[in-house]
Amino acid sequence: MNFIEEFRNSQSGRTLLEYINKRSTKPARFMEFCGGHTVAIFRYGIRQLLPPHIEMLSGPGCPVCVTSTADLDKVIALSRLTGVIICSFGDLLRVPSSRQSLLEVRAEGADVRIVYSTMDALEIARQNPAKKVIFVGIGFETTAPTIAASVIQARNQGLDNYYVMSLHKITPPVMRAILDAGETRLSGIICPGHVSSITGSNAWEFIPKDYHLACAVSGFESLDILYCVKSLVDQVEDKTPRLDVSYSRAVKPEGNLAALKIMDEVFDICPANWRGIGILPESGLCLKPEFAAFDAEKNFEIKLSEPSRETPGCLCGEIIKGTRTPLECKLFSKVCTPENPVGPCMVSSEGTCAAYYHYGGKLG
């Protein structure tokens, strides 16, 4: 099965759904970690096709959504410094911080630019030698290697006006935190596909080993997800939790060794602040001391005029943990819409609230 159409084959999908509906007899609650999976599940209508006793929950796998308000406040503060250019991926610009978004401070005159890769940010630094260019690095293990590569390139090219605000996070610790909290009883986990292509599927072995839960790594096409759900159902029915890989065309047990090597060269593991969860030890990536010259937090004085605060009524922090759904939020689709987002889960293309809104979840 080499072509994308084969992973959307309707007859194969019907066969898998028939199997799942016949095989599944026990109530099950599965969490898809990745925001990309949440969107794909809604887009393909998979929730509606599964047996009613199988419940799907969304997890913390949206990088924009898990970025804390406190960290966004720091970025806003940096954007107000004289001679600074902030570079970021587009979704982040619309996420409200305690008081403003990057889009709003740009309207007030701050130099905030959307980039599509770190290479764009490096080019902006080359073209503006008198300015300080700060790339806001958000994301998981999937994007971290590209940011690491940009730091090495800046060093090798002698770019002394390029900086990274590293808000990167690593995924297994937050999955552990959610399982340890026990706020949501789960039967199995759909593990992230793109992240696992970097980390390797071995990163998730702790789920069946330590928590005795079913788990499988999935791709993003309809058949990928159905194969993954089939695996989880088999594990639940047979009471044999294990790690399966339903995305073997992209994921190896050991991961992408070249990407892991460059991450290890540039980053240390450090605590990170997760929206709705708080500070988790060993769940973030910060620049190593030898790359301190490129570390925005070490080279700029970040002054916050007031303590960070969350938007009243926004349930993004609970939705990220799978303890609430958008339909339980009083703001959802009324006050909070894609045109006027209150929380990051409505901003990001991978946000749970955005998926509910765009694919009919707002109707119940």
Side-chain angles (χ1 to χ4, degrees), residues 32 53 69 78 104 135 169 172 190 204 210 224 245 250 274 284:
E32 73 268 6
H53 56 267
T69 298
L78 286 170
E104 289 169 330
F135 179 82
K169 295 170 175 63
I190 298 178
W204 306 104
D210 297 343
D224 288 324
V245 179
W274 296 71

Side-chain angles (χ1 to χ4, degrees), residues 20 113 194 209 219 287:
I20 291 167
R113 307 187 190 185
H194 293 151
K209 179 180 178 182
L287 295 180

Side-chain angles (χ1 to χ4, degrees), residues 18-29:
E18 288 173 7
Y19 177 90
I20 291 167
N21 278 274
K22 289 179 181 178
R23 182 79 165 96
S24 179
T25 62
K26 300 174 181 178
R29 180 181 284 169

